Amino acid sequence: MTLIWGRTNSSNVMKLLWFCAEAGIPYERRDAGGTFGLVGDDAYKAMNPMSLVPVLQEADGWALWESNTILRYLAAVQAGTAAALYPAEPRRRAGIERWMDWQLAHLTPPMTTIFFTHVRIPEAERDWPATTAALEKATGLWRLLDRQLAGRQHVEGDFSLADIAIGIFVHRWFALPVERPELAHLRAWYDRLLARPHYSRIVAVPMS
């Protein structure tokens, strides 16, 4: 049985739970990180020296960390729906991986700043200049994705790992109390994700 370590309100854990639900992969989940602790324990650090969530642990004890790497691994070793989300054809796969890397390198930093400011940092401790700069950066990135989505149902045409990696953050973008431009293609994509039962159940939940 696949074991996923991590709390359900972590964006990176949500990716794995949503992927497994879409692909029909059975798993067991154990709370870790945040108020649940464990990530600083020696046993956990032996699985993930970064002391972060999630961690994928397989029945033989083999463990893997970094959420997008775990997504790629699971899609590569599974058949059916999972494999379809990560096609083997090199150019299609590269297109998907490009957007997964874009999420990590470009989208995550400003979205994390905005999220923490409005959800996890006490008001008296909030860094509003940093948040304003992050909002400007994130807005530009979402505009870029809006252009990518013109004429497409999903980020790379068909529903794929790119949608799972970025879809976590688009819920936060529309749920956070920030000023947003009207981005019709992005909003339509978000609405399509909301129509997916697993997304609504796992991702589109109150932020904490």
Side-chain angles (χ1 to χ4, degrees):
M1 172 71 75
T2 296
L3 177 60
I4 296 173
W5 292 84
R7 63 192 191 280
T8 58
N9 65 345
S10 160
S11 60
N12 287 326
V13 174
M14 286 178 181
K15 291 180 193 175
L16 304 193
L17 303 184
W18 179 23
F19 170 81
C20 287
E22 292 282 355
I25 300 172
Y27 64 88
E28 177 185 346
R29 186 187 62 80
R30 295 182 186 170
D31 283 319
T35 59
F36 299 102
L38 297 180
V39 295
D41 295 353
D42 289 343
Y44 190 91
K45 291 174 75 171
M47 295 189 295
N48 182 356
M50 295 297 292
S51 295
L52 297 171
V53 294
V55 166
L56 176 79
Q57 187 178 25
E58 297 199 324
D60 62 358
W62 183 79
L64 184 64
W65 45 282
E66 286 297 333
S67 59
N68 283 0
T69 298
I70 297 171
L71 288 177
R72 287 189 284 261
Y73 168 75
L74 287 174
V77 299
Q78 298 285 331
T81 300
L85 298 180
Y86 190 47
E89 196 281 316
R91 290 189 176 183
R92 291 183 63 200
R93 178 168 286 193
I96 291 166
E97 291 186 331
R98 165 184 57 194
W99 287 103
M100 297 174 76
D101 291 343
W102 178 84
Q103 173 258 302
L104 282 175
H106 302 286
L107 186 63
T108 295
M111 286 301 299
T112 298
T113 297
I114 299 166
F115 172 77
F116 269 74
T117 295
H118 289 282
V119 178
R120 294 190 181 163
I121 297 176
E123 187 169 0
E125 301 173 20
R126 294 173 182 174
D127 185 341
W128 290 110
T131 303
T132 298
L135 180 59
E136 181 179 356
K137 178 67 174 178
T139 299
L141 294 169
W142 289 119
R143 288 187 186 277
L144 184 154
L145 185 59
D146 182 72
R147 293 191 293 271
Q148 168 70 12
L149 287 163
R152 294 181 172 89
Q153 291 291 298
H154 296 287
V155 175
E156 276 292 314
D158 296 328
F159 183 68
S160 73
L161 293 188
D163 300 279
I164 289 176
I166 304 170
I168 306 301
F169 289 99
V170 79
H171 170 64
R172 293 183 172 186
W173 178 245
F174 282 105
L176 286 164
V178 298
E179 290 189 17
R180 295 174 294 273
E182 294 291 334
L183 299 174
H185 306 303
L186 185 72
R187 178 71 219 198
W189 174 60
Y190 177 51
D191 288 339
R192 284 190 286 274
L193 296 183
L194 288 172
R196 305 183 78 93
H198 299 307
Y199 184 85
S200 293
R201 176 175 60 86
I202 295 168
V203 180
V205 297
M207 297 177 295
S208 62

